[in-house]
Amino acid sequence: KDLQSASERFVAKLPERVMRKGQVCQVRSAIAQRLGVSDGRSASASPPGNQEVSLLALGRPADAPVARLQVKLEGGQKVLLKTEFHTTLGDLWEALADWRSKNRVGRARTGCVLRTAFPPKSYTDRSQTLQDAGLTPSATLFVGYEDSQPSEA
């Protein structure tokens, strides 16, 4: 039995967001609000634009250090991660891929790397730990494209 109204079905077919003049514009939620219907997300769900992901091991000592990372994706979404110092950059990429899948955000394009703005650096060695990369106890990273300059990873 279909419990959705025609307006809800219409809103469900719309893209969640689009790029317009270089800005990410929310489409589905704005139109749903104007039509006075649900945009298909739970009211208690946090918006996909800014969520925290924990990669902390179960049963870890309470006093063990925690790395806090903020990763800004290409579309402007921010993902906050809490993880162990020994987590690798590959583990971080896997967590981001999982977050993208759960939040219906497209996969990172081929050639994307994790970067810091200051000091400007690309991190390409996926076996490197966060601690070895100098990204602990906290860092802000961006998903960007590798440029022609050599990486220090």
Side-chain angles (χ1 to χ4, degrees):
K1 184 177 177 181
D2 187 8
L3 300 176
Q4 287 185 321
S5 69
S7 296
E8 288 171 318
R9 287 191 303 271
F10 168 74
V11 169
K13 293 179 183 178
L14 295 172
E16 190 167 330
R17 54 191 159 274
V18 297
M19 291 290 293
R20 182 173 178 160
K21 296 182 182 177
Q23 298 289 335
V24 177
C25 300
Q26 299 297 326
V27 174
R28 188 180 304 157
S29 59
I31 293 175
Q33 186 177 17
R34 287 206 176 181
L35 294 175
V37 297
S38 168
D39 65 350
R41 291 187 300 171
S42 166
S44 64
S46 54
N50 194 6
Q51 290 187 7
E52 186 168 289
V53 176
S54 176
L55 301 177
L56 297 172
L58 295 174
R60 64 186 296 281
D63 60 347
V66 175
R68 289 177 174 76
L69 304 173
Q70 176 178 293
V71 180
K72 187 172 181 183
L73 305 179
E74 320 85 292
Q77 304 91 341
K78 292 180 183 174
V79 183
L80 307 172
L81 297 113
K82 287 170 50 176
T83 187
E84 315 285 346
F85 278 32
H86 63 269
T87 298
T88 65
L89 292 168
D91 296 334
L92 189 60
W93 274 110
E94 286 179 27
L96 291 172
D98 186 48
W99 184 91
R100 285 174 186 267
S101 175
K102 287 179 182 174
N103 290 282
R104 298 182 181 160
V105 174
R107 292 186 300 174
R109 294 183 187 169
T110 303
C112 281
V113 295
L114 290 171
R115 307 179 78 126
T116 51
F118 188 81
K121 186 174 178 182
S122 296
Y123 300 89
T124 57
D125 180 358
R126 292 185 180 218
S127 66
Q128 188 176 32
T129 67
L130 299 177
Q131 187 168 21
D132 292 342
L135 299 173
T136 55
S138 64
T140 299
L141 298 163
F142 303 87
V143 175
Y145 296 98
E146 183 65 57
D147 56 25
S148 57
Q149 297 175 357
S151 169
E152 295 180 32

